[in-house]
Amino acid sequence: MSEMVERVARALVPVLSGGQEDVCGRPLPSAQFDDLNADWQARYLEYALVAIMAMRDPTEAMVEASETCMDDGTWTDGEYYWAKMIDEASK
């Protein structure tokens, strides 16, 4: 798996594992990726890949954000360009 897939998986684990309670109703701490066994890590990596692939085709708003980058001359900075598109997608 790629670095980005693992990064997304690591971000998902504490969010999706939070809010659990033990048998007495006490809150359990959120898990971390490294705390999981190999089967659960693989499952979260798959979730991450699905989430990333859902963003493969940009929305119209993402395309417009990228065009804004081209218009203001920042399109040569790939990190800025990508961040603007993702910022727009997350609104």
Side-chain angles (χ1 to χ4, degrees):
M1 291 284 164
S2 74
E3 177 185 350
M4 183 58 72
V5 173
E6 184 174 331
R7 187 185 300 179
V8 172
R10 286 180 178 280
L12 288 173
V13 172
V15 173
L16 297 179
S17 69
Q20 305 294 324
E21 296 178 348
D22 67 13
V23 293
C24 296
R26 294 177 297 225
L28 294 171
S30 297
Q32 297 299 315
F33 187 81
D34 293 331
D35 298 334
L36 304 176
N37 66 32
D39 290 338
W40 277 102
Q41 286 183 356
R43 187 174 295 178
Y44 276 97
L45 289 168
E46 184 177 341
Y47 296 159
L49 182 59
V50 168
I52 291 168
M53 291 308 296
M55 294 177 21
R56 186 175 187 281
D57 294 322
T59 64
E60 185 60 35
M62 291 173 75
V63 172
E64 289 173 11
S66 69
E67 289 169 351
T68 299
C69 292
M70 287 182 211
D71 291 342
D72 68 13
T74 57
W75 66 272
T76 58
D77 183 353
E79 291 178 15
Y80 178 81
Y81 180 75
W82 178 255
K84 282 296 194 185
M85 291 178 70
I86 297 303
D87 288 348
E88 191 59 43
S90 65
K91 288 183 179 178

